[in-house]
Amino acid sequence: MTSYSKEVIADLVAGTLPWPQTRRIMSAYKDDDRFFKYVAVLQDRVGWKDPILLPVGDHLFICQSGDERVTKCECGHSFGDYRKNWKLKAAIIVRDSEESLREIYPNSDLPDPDWMEIREFICPECGTLHEVEAAAPGYPIVHDFEPDLEGLYRDWLGKPLVSSNKGG
Amino acid sequence: MLDKPASALRIRERLLESERLMEETGCYDGITELHLRNQDPLKFETLHTKLRAYCVSAREMARRISASPGVREVGEMVVAIYTPEGDAIALSNGIMVHVHTMSRFIKWMIRNGYEENPRIRDGDIFANNDAFIGTVQVPDVMDVVPIFHSGKLVGWAGAVCHELEAGGITPGGDVALAQERFTEGLFVCAEKVGENDELRRDYVIRCERNLRMPIYWVLDEKAKVASCIDMRESVKGLIDEIGLDYWMQVSKEFIEEGRRAQLARTRQLTVPGIYRGHTFYGHVTKGKPGYQPLGDPDWLYNMPIEMEITSDGKIIMDFEGTQPWGYHSMNCTPAGMDGGMFVTLTQHMNFEGLVNDGAWMATELKLPAGTWTNPDNEMVATATSWALLLPAYGVFQRLLSRSFIARGFVEEAFVGQVNSPMIEMGGQSQYGTPFGMAHFECAAAGSGALAIKDGLDTAYVGWNPESDMGNIEIWEQNMPMLYIGRSIVPNSGGAGKYRGGCSFLSTWLVSKTDHLRLVTSEHSSRVFDNGGLCGGYPAPTCQKHRAVRDSNIFELAENGAPLAHHTGTNPYRSELEVRLEGEHVTLEGPYITAPHKTGDVFTHSYNGGGGYGDVLERDPVKTAWDVENGFLTKEAAEGIFGIVLDEDEEGFPVANIEATKRHRADMRAKRLARARPVSEWIAKERERVKAADFAPEVKKMYASAIKLSPRFTRDFSTFWDVDAKSTFGVE
Ligand SMILES: [Zn+2]
């Protein structure tokens, strides 16, 4: 069975593993012990102790925070119950003018702000840009991901989660 | 079941039985145990490898028969071997989107009584390019031949080429101007086009008389027939070796194993749950010559996708909430939607083991009737269905990628495909003859970023994993235009910690013709039709066309003065305007206009991919390299990514790490100061929604989605706390 060291997984996640090695990992059979090593690597990276249950973005994690399961930014900021859309608790910058779109698209033709806007969802504490939506004005904010957390641990990882009072 | 002889049932009954068995057992054709695989796994694997080798070698051989640069240069072809019921057992590389569309074509003939009339006999050749029978668009012409052994139908061999000319209302294959089926070109509707391994003369004559450039289509037909015969004979030889009963059983086990492997892969690589995403497409044709006033000329398409991964590993994609079909060529049939799903899966999940129709069986598509994904009118045009398919399946790739990231397989996460703006042409060639052609250099867009590195520059499209832009010299042999530039477009990848792959732009001088019709399609106007992931931005995909009529380029060349080789990086004044005199044209939407002639200059730009991650985390050293090589500009490095670049003694950009840190801290502070709580924004935006204070096309988009979809109506009403129906005046 394929397996890699925690150091290799850490480098892979950080994008620092040399390309030939990354390429071999991509081409090889997948390592079945990846998930918990990956979570361990991320747990080392974050500066807080709440156990990570599931990464849901580049710097966003569902974690066990006391009795609750919440979505947390890498900086420790909590966006609340993981079953709710974390974006609703974020800060936002909306680019809906030629001037603000031009900041990101310096030399191309721009979308028509009457038809499309860029929405940036930002951590209100550390300022990390977590997600960008390109949407028509008036389009509801998307709830990107509602994981079946219990099902993943129980049926696929074979390690059922200890039940939680809230956010279960 | 080895003692069971090849089915004595007629094939139509056999197909129904196979479907019933799948329904009853949940396994393909009732194969609940992989007996042959368990008996001798090595023999099993070896046989599948052989079948795949037959396919790959048949395709390579056929590419050398074909006359079309689409097939020869960029490999617009795929071949596959099927069961008698029409399920793919093994396939070649190439445009794999068609493996499953061909399956639909074979099943359609079986269901429609082709056994009785026109009969299915050894040596017959059947062709199809009707999307409602089973293809994506009119230029995707497929040929299949039955495989008989010991007097029994034991399978099919099939091949598809994307034709560069389909004889529609506008030249090329992706007939941009088609608004109904009747203007899409030459249709071959599940037709018997040959007998005794030979194409019928009358069929070839029909092709010759209905196409602008019949040599492409006709020679591709011969190439496809040759590859089918090649595969057929190989399979017959194999059956001689292993026995007919073994073949009939093993071919089904291959598919069942493919189905199981796909489910297992999903459980291994992803996370169960609900994933959502969307993208948009702007279709702008108002005032363009040739469009019949059959519907509104301008349309904004929303493409929401909800993907569910169930705990047994099934992937279900639901398009509820998207727009209705329209009087344009961008509609798609369920066959095309299947194909898009299939080609995406083969690239992202099914990259090892047995790649065949089994993977497709482990998925489900929910295509609401009446939408562009499943038109309830078979007269609609589908010639440019890729225009909506590509953005939609780009969303699918991002949804899958989020699941890979959640599960830890970050190396598989990929921001996805983008649209492939295509240029097609016709009129009088440089040889003074009539011609027509689709230019396939669009087969090399920028890819979306990965979660661990930048996307591929000018090297990826979703519809053909073997992306290739083809050689300039070959394209120049086939059209009355000369390249005066083919260049990377700086900043054309979506910004992010990892940027999307860059696109390129071609600049041509029209040469040796007084009548060149240029037509483009599959590029979105006014909106991005792609997206970023995890903080990355979409790539700039709403490019306009720029051209110069009656330019002074020959005069400049004679004087040795500089010419324009690209459009440059000033969005308000292109290099064409700086360098060339003449009538300057900037046009959004499909380029449908009066013919060009010698001395005109035309540019066409392709799309880059979306970005991944926060721009402020981008590697300064890689960025310096990007600036040095023209993938990013220095201004973008500083303004978007916060990376300060100095110059070394030789003038090359070098990252100033300390200045970058300071600049980024400042940018982050400004970002936080500029941002406001989402709740505040929603409260304010809600007033605009209540007043339906939107552009007419945006309002129409909402009204159409609300009319077709109870879920969209509910979600919209709940999110904004409004009555969606009354807001947009829907009864
Ligand atoms: Zn934060």
Side-chain angles (χ1 to χ4, degrees), chain A residues 9 11-16 19 22 25-32 34-35 38-39 45 54-59 85 87-96 98-149 151-152 154-157, chain B residues 266-278 280 282-284 298-300 302 304 309-311 313 351-352 402 405-412 450 452-453 489-491 497-498 525-528 530 532-540 542-544 546 569 571-572 612-614 617 636 640 668 671-672 674-679 681-682 685 688-689 694-695 697-698 701-702 712 715-716 719-720:
Chain A
I9 302 299
D11 288 350
L12 179 68
V13 172
T16 53
W19 174 243
T22 307
I25 292 177
M26 291 171 101
S27 301
Y29 287 99
K30 291 300 183 198
D31 37 326
D32 281 328
R34 173 75 66 93
F35 182 73
Y38 174 57
V39 168
R45 209 175 75 187
L54 188 71
V56 292
D58 205 31
H59 297 291
N85 190 353
K87 286 178 182 168
L88 303 182
K89 295 266 184 75
I92 190 170
I93 293 173
V94 178
R95 297 180 189 274
D96 54 2
E98 186 179 333
E99 192 193 0
S100 57
L101 287 162
R102 186 57 81 201
E103 291 173 353
I104 306 297
Y105 301 97
N107 54 289
S108 62
D109 291 323
L110 295 174
D112 179 343
D114 285 341
W115 284 39
M116 171 137 289
E117 63 195 24
I118 290 271
R119 303 167 181 172
E120 301 172 356
F121 295 92
I122 292 159
C123 171
E125 209 163 319
C126 69
T128 294
L129 175 52
H130 283 301
E131 206 61 59
V132 173
E133 280 186 5
Y139 215 77
I141 291 172
V142 178
H143 191 172
D144 296 322
F145 185 23
E146 294 183 58
D148 174 7
L149 198 59
L152 168 71
R154 188 186 56 235
D155 302 334
W156 291 10
L157 296 170
Chain B
T266 307
R267 292 194 296 264
Q268 183 190 32
L269 297 181
T270 72
V271 170
I274 309 277
Y275 300 75
R276 295 185 195 87
H278 60 53
F280 293 80
H283 186 57
V284 174
D298 299 342
W299 207 298
L300 176 58
N302 68 320
I309 298 182
T310 67
S311 61
F351 37 72
E352 53 173 57
R402 191 176 304 279
I405 292 163
R407 194 65 186 267
F409 294 102
V410 287
E411 73 276 21
E412 301 299 337
L450 283 70
I452 53 167
K453 69 187 281 284
V489 181
N491 310 326
K497 173 164 87 173
Y498 301 112
S525 297
R526 302 190 192 177
V527 297
F528 296 131
N530 78 117
L533 189 66
C534 293
Y537 288 94
C542 32
Q543 298 302 306
K544 294 173 182 165
R546 288 175 173 80
T569 53
Y572 303 106
Y612 179 90
D614 188 341
E617 293 175 36
I640 302 170
R668 193 177 288 267
R671 187 192 266 175
L672 276 167
R674 189 171 176 182
R676 55 187 157 145
V678 166
S679 54
W681 177 76
I682 290 177
E685 198 67 7
R688 184 178 178 191
V689 171
F694 301 116
E697 294 82 2
V698 175
M701 174 193 76
Y702 286 127
F712 186 89
D715 290 352
F716 191 95
F719 185 84
W720 294 115

Side-chain angles (χ1 to χ4, degrees), chain B residues 432-484:
Chain B
T433 53
F435 93 112
M437 186 189 82
H439 196 310
F440 252 86
E441 67 174 4
C442 60
S447 85
L450 283 70
I452 53 167
K453 69 187 281 284
D454 290 348
L456 299 172
D457 300 303
T458 67
Y460 176 74
V461 283
W463 37 271
N464 183 354
E466 281 189 310
S467 175
D468 191 333
M469 65 177 77
N471 288 313
I472 281 179
E473 292 75 11
I474 300 293
W475 294 121
E476 285 181 339
Q477 283 173 16
N478 289 276
M479 64 181 188
M481 295 206 293
L482 299 169
Y483 279 83
I484 51 175

Side-chain angles (χ1 to χ4, degrees), chain B residues 557-714:
Chain B
E558 205 164 308
N559 298 337
L563 310 175
H565 301 287
H566 51 77
T567 51
T569 53
N570 179 350
Y572 303 106
R573 190 155 188 250
S574 78
E575 278 291 298
L576 305 184
E577 290 166 296
V578 173
R579 304 277 182 206
L580 301 175
E581 284 172 20
E583 184 197 336
H584 288 273
V585 181
T586 304
L587 203 68
E588 73 170 332
Y591 192 78
I592 291 183
T593 173
H596 281 279
K597 62 174 174 50
T598 302
D600 292 358
V601 171
F602 183 72
T603 64
H604 187 59
S605 83
Y606 301 93
N607 286 335
Y612 179 90
D614 188 341
V615 281
L616 296 185
E617 293 175 36
R618 183 168 181 77
D619 180 5
V621 176
K622 172 69 171 42
T623 304
W625 183 92
D626 276 340
V627 171
E628 184 182 329
N629 290 282
F631 296 96
L632 292 171
T633 59
K634 190 163 185 270
E635 296 66 32
E638 194 168 325
I640 302 170
F641 300 97
I643 294 167
V644 181
L645 299 175
D646 296 337
E647 282 182 4
D648 68 8
E649 313 82 70
E650 289 164 84
F652 290 114
V654 200
N656 182 331
I657 304 292
E658 282 312 308
T660 297
K661 271 186 196 156
R662 285 193 300 275
H663 184 43
R664 283 182 160 173
D666 183 48
M667 283 176 77
R668 193 177 288 267
K670 282 191 178 136
R671 187 192 266 175
L672 276 167
R674 189 171 176 182
R676 55 187 157 145
V678 166
S679 54
E680 221 175 79
W681 177 76
I682 290 177
K684 182 172 160 278
E685 198 67 7
R686 180 166 179 270
E687 297 308 309
R688 184 178 178 191
V689 171
K690 270 163 68 185
D693 177 19
F694 301 116
E697 294 82 2
V698 175
K699 274 198 268 198
K700 186 177 62 180
M701 174 193 76
Y702 286 127
S704 305
I706 288 163
K707 225 176 271 176
L708 278 169
S709 164
R711 188 171 79 200
F712 186 89
T713 310
R714 194 177 60 237

Side-chain angles (χ1 to χ4, degrees), chain A residues 67-86:
Chain A
D67 276 351
E68 289 182 286
R69 288 177 187 152
V70 299
T71 305
K72 255 193 182 195
C73 176
E74 186 150 349
C75 75
H77 179 85
S78 172
F79 293 93
D81 190 328
Y82 85 97
R83 293 166 303 184
K84 300 259 170 64
N85 190 353
W86 64 270

Side-chain angles (χ1 to χ4, degrees), chain B residues 50-233:
Chain B
K50 268 191 188 171
L51 289 175
R52 180 159 165 78
Y54 297 159
C55 294
V56 172
S57 94
R59 174 175 178 266
E60 287 307 312
M61 181 263 296
R63 282 180 69 179
R64 274 144 192 86
I65 297 173
S66 161
S68 112
V71 173
R72 288 181 79 96
E73 282 289 293
V74 303
E76 280 294 300
M77 179 177 192
V78 73
V79 306
I81 297 168
Y82 295 83
T83 64
E85 301 84 9
D87 297 304
I89 306 166
L91 51 132
S92 72
N93 43 341
I95 45 173
M96 292 187 283
V97 62
H98 288 294
V99 170
H100 190 72
T101 61
M102 248 187 314
S103 169
R104 282 204 179 231
F105 162 37
I106 296 169
K107 287 175 192 289
W108 192 93
M109 292 193 291
I110 295 171
R111 278 189 230 285
N112 281 276
Y114 272 41
E115 257 176 311
E116 290 83 41
N117 185 0
R119 310 280 298 270
I120 298 169
R121 283 177 295 209
D122 200 7
D124 285 349
I125 304 162
F126 297 90
N128 179 61
N129 69 338
D130 185 330
F132 284 93
I133 290 173
T135 192
V136 180
Q137 27 164 203
V138 66
D140 297 325
V141 187
M142 45 186 62
D143 287 71
V144 298
V145 306
I147 305 175
F148 282 89
H149 193 282
S150 318
K152 292 191 172 69
L153 179 67
V154 297
W156 298 81
V160 189
C161 291
H162 183 106
E163 295 311 326
L164 298 188
E165 221 294 304
I169 186 169
T170 43
D174 294 25
V175 184
L177 184 53
Q179 291 173 277
E180 290 181 287
R181 175 186 177 88
F182 311 103
T183 40
E184 286 188 286
L186 176 61
F187 272 108
V188 184
C189 306
E191 184 174 323
K192 189 187 278 193
V193 296
E195 286 168 328
N196 303 317
D197 290 348
E198 202 177 337
L199 289 166
R200 287 176 61 123
R201 180 85 188 102
D202 47 355
Y203 169 63
V204 173
I205 288 170
R206 181 148 66 91
C207 296
E208 284 170 351
R209 299 203 54 80
N210 283 288
L211 298 165
R212 292 179 179 85
M213 198 72 180
I215 185 172
Y216 294 151
W217 182 305
V218 171
L219 274 180
D220 281 354
E221 284 288 282
K222 292 182 180 175
K224 281 179 284 183
V225 170
S227 69
C228 287
I229 292 171
D230 189 48
M231 286 183 285
R232 183 189 70 197
E233 294 307 310

